[in-house]
Amino acid sequence: MNVIESIVGKGFATTFEIEHFKYRGLDTKNNSVDSAYLTFLVKYGLVGLALIVILFLRLILVNIKLKELK
């Protein structure tokens, strides 16, 4: 991955070749690697990962009703 792909990602249809699936007879061209976060990082880049973190934190903060917890 070059610098631009690291920032914006490689795209939604990015596939990975997972070598250790060969000996188990599974499809080696899979749309996800073993970790969902790594898959998301490669497909959508740092921008997408930051967006998910921001949206998650916003969802948590908006749904906290008690003033003491904020």
Side-chain angles (χ1 to χ4, degrees):
M1 282 178 51
N2 60 26
V3 176
I4 293 177
E5 287 177 345
S6 298
I7 295 171
V8 295
K10 286 189 166 193
F12 180 71
T14 302
T15 59
F16 302 94
E17 188 161 342
I18 304 172
E19 292 294 325
H20 61 273
F21 280 6
K22 267 186 196 172
Y23 75 92
R24 292 192 275 175
L26 300 172
D27 181 23
T28 58
K29 293 262 188 202
N30 201 342
N31 282 338
S32 63
V33 292
D34 292 339
S35 172
Y37 292 109
L38 288 176
T39 302
F40 197 84
L41 179 65
V42 171
K43 287 185 176 190
Y44 305 109
L46 293 173
V47 172
L49 200 59
L51 183 64
I52 289 298
V53 170
I54 290 168
L55 291 175
F56 179 71
L57 290 175
R58 185 177 181 276
L59 179 71
I60 290 173
L61 293 175
V62 165
N63 288 325
I64 293 177
K65 303 290 185 205
L66 297 175
K67 195 179 242 185
E68 296 85 26
L69 292 177
K70 282 188 178 181

